[in-house]
Structures are given as C-alpha cells and as structure tokens.
Amino acid sequence: MLVLGIETSCDETGAAIVDDRRRILANVLHSQLAEHKAYGGVVPEIAARAHLDHLDTLVRRALADAELDLDAVDAVAATGGPGLIGGVIVGVMTAKALSAAIGKPFVAVNHLEAHALTARLAAPAGEGLEFPYLLLLASGGHCQLLAVEGVSRYRKFGSTIDDAAGEAFDKAAALLDLGFPGGPAIEHAAVSGDPARFALPRPMLGRPSADFSFSGLKTALRHTVAGLALPLDAPTTADLAASYQAAVVEVLVDRTSNAMDMFAGIHGSGGTLVVAGGVAANQAIRSALAELAGGRNMRFAAPPPALCTDNAAMVAWAGLERFRLGLTDGLDFAPRPRWPLDEAAAAQGAKA
C-alpha cells in the first residue's frame, strides 16, 4: 500500500510517499524560511504563494525519488487543516486534482493527527507503537496533552490557555534578537548559558490540571530584559535563553506528570509517553520527558527531529492509517482553518 502525502499547512511545502511497512520512500521539503525571515514570522499570503510556486515540482521529485509513477500510489493525502487557510487550500486542491486524475481515493488529514501518529511511523523495526498512548503535542501553534486511543480517537486532558510552547519560544527569541524560528535559536543560545542566573516564573506549576500557560513567562522575560543594560552582551543573552528554556521544560514536565495520572486512571499504569510537534525536536525537552517517563514506569517515544517539524511523510502516514480503515474523503471536502482532535471540542465547534 502506497500513499502520497502533501503538506502545506504553514511555511513548509512538502511531498512524500510512504508504504504500509513504515518505509519512507520519498520525503522532500521546501523551507520558506528565507521568504519570511525578514518579517520575524510567517506571512500567510507569502506562504500560500510559495506553496503554489513549489508544490508541483516537489510532487514530481517525490515520485522520482521513490522511482514510481503517479498511477502506482493507492491514495493521495493532504493536510486539510488546521493551518493557514490559503496554504491548506493549495495542498487540498492539488491532492484532489491528482486523486481525480488517477481515479484513486483522496484523504484529508488533520495536521495535528499527522503529528500524533508520526511516532507510529518512526517506531523501531520490530517494536511498533500500539494504542493507547499519552501524547504531548507541542508546536508553534498548539500545546496539548491527549490520550491517543486510536485513529480519530482522542481524549484531551489539557491544552494551553494562551500561547503555545513554540509561540513562546518565537516571542522570546525575538525579544532577545536571536532570529526566527525561535525554538532552535533559543536552544542553541541556551547551550552556553546558566539556567539559574535569572529567576523566571513557572506558570501553572503545581496546579492539579494539565493545562498550560506561557504568556506570564514571556512577560516576565520582557520585564527582566528591560531592567538590564542594552544592548545585551552574548553571555547575558545565553543566560536568559537558558533560564527561559529551563522554565518551559519544567512547566512541560509538571503538566505532563499530571496528565500521566489522568491517563493511568483510564488506561492503567505503564504505557507510552509520546512527544511530537516542532517543539519535540528540542533536546532538553526530550531528555526531561524521557526521564519523567522512566520514573513513572512508562516507555518514551519521540520521532526523530526531522519528523517533528512539519513534513509530508507524517501526512502520508496519517493518510495511510486512515485509508486502510476506509476513512477517505470526497472531492467536496472543505479545507478547515480549525480542526480539533478531541471529539468534545469538535462537537462544540460544529454547534457554534
């Protein structure tokens, strides 16, 4: 079984082909970093136009890398949301056109589900990753803890009430003049910094829920910087980055620990903790969560860093998981700027 996947939800244009043996036969990506860097963030109109400029070429490259003709794929999948709607439309319309041209099914993939299922694609050979598992999904636009009980079956334990973790990193990096994207920039600067130099808050720490908040941490960093001599020297910048990253890590660990209790109350002790999304590429976060999982008698799993950030292989894999369950979509599917994973949130949105 072969599935072609297309990713255009934000500022990465991607095409990939995976098979049901969990092999990535092709995975090509065009980064739009150069187009957006001057603006300090993603500009939706620029992103959509870049997807239009590059997607056809990337699909051809993916087929060439996999040494396949388009007719050989069994389904065509594309991110159907959530995301920047202009880019999502480009990917969905391209996938629909390819699906219609070869007479193969079209699969609309929830971008969050693609992240949620990537660890199943990346699991070591012979091991696999079975449902259910606990997921920390942390990216530029999302930060939530869920039980992944099956394809299209999610139970949310907590989410951010303001900024997502990746957004918090981006804003901190901008404040420290470290560039964009912020997550890798903060992580790189923190390597040489002292995480104990600046006492930054840990929002929500110790509270019984599994919700997150990062806006107070961001504000505290701004006030701290305002009290220092400017421009900041390199050691001070590194110490600020390290202190900020340490605060984010501690919050993520604390909130995930609470979600572990919730997960155990439903599915029993043990199981697997998975971290996915762009923030999951951060090595300090991965190490802290692996230590937490070990202390709670849980396995720990995380996709390789290249599959944590947005990519088409995860979309192709989520499309394959849905396709083999018979979950395909008609060509009248409408792209969705918002698309929650958990059923309760989805039902509430449908009524609104």
Side-chain angles (χ1 to χ4, degrees), residues 222-343:
R222 180 181 294 110
H223 290 323
T224 300
V225 170
L228 298 172
L230 299 177
L232 299 174
D233 58 36
T236 299
T237 299
D239 292 345
L240 285 165
S243 299
Y244 192 86
Q245 178 176 265
V248 173
V249 169
E250 192 171 345
V251 167
L252 291 175
V253 168
D254 178 75
R255 307 286 81 200
T256 302
S257 179
N258 286 354
M260 286 176 168
D261 294 334
M262 300 175 188
F263 183 85
I266 299 169
H267 297 291
S269 60
T272 302
L273 168 65
V274 173
V275 59
V279 174
N282 181 294
Q283 293 300 317
I285 291 172
R286 291 164 82 99
S287 296
L289 291 171
E291 182 178 353
L292 172 66
R296 297 290 295 268
N297 195 32
M298 294 184 76
R299 293 174 56 201
F300 176 74
L307 294 182
C308 289
T309 52
D310 292 349
N311 64 90
M314 70 179 192
V315 177
W317 175 253
L320 192 150
E321 292 248 44
R322 295 183 65 80
F323 175 56
R324 63 186 174 189
L325 294 175
L327 301 175
T328 60
D329 296 273
L331 297 183
D332 59 349
F333 171 84
R336 303 174 64 174
R338 294 184 177 84
W339 193 353
L341 279 177
D342 58 305
E343 293 183 4

Side-chain angles (χ1 to χ4, degrees), residues 9 19 55 63 97 113 119 131 234 273 346:
S9 66
D19 68 12
L55 185 53
L63 291 167
E113 180 160 57
F131 301 118
L273 168 65

Side-chain angles (χ1 to χ4, degrees), residues 4-8 13-17 26-30 51 53-70 73 76-78 90-91 94-95 98 102 312:
L4 167 65
I6 291 172
E7 161 59 12
T8 58
T13 313
I17 298 171
N27 188 24
V28 294
L29 193 71
H30 170 75
H51 292 312
D53 289 342
H54 298 286
L55 185 53
D56 289 353
T57 299
L58 291 176
V59 170
R60 286 194 292 268
R61 279 180 52 196
L63 291 167
D65 288 353
E67 299 182 344
L68 295 170
D69 293 327
L70 182 59
V73 304
V76 182
V90 171
T94 300
L98 295 173
I102 61 175

Side-chain angles (χ1 to χ4, degrees), residues 83-104:
L84 301 177
I85 193 61
V88 174
I89 289 172
V90 171
V92 166
M93 295 305 293
T94 300
K96 287 180 180 180
L98 295 173
S99 169
I102 61 175
K104 302 292 179 66

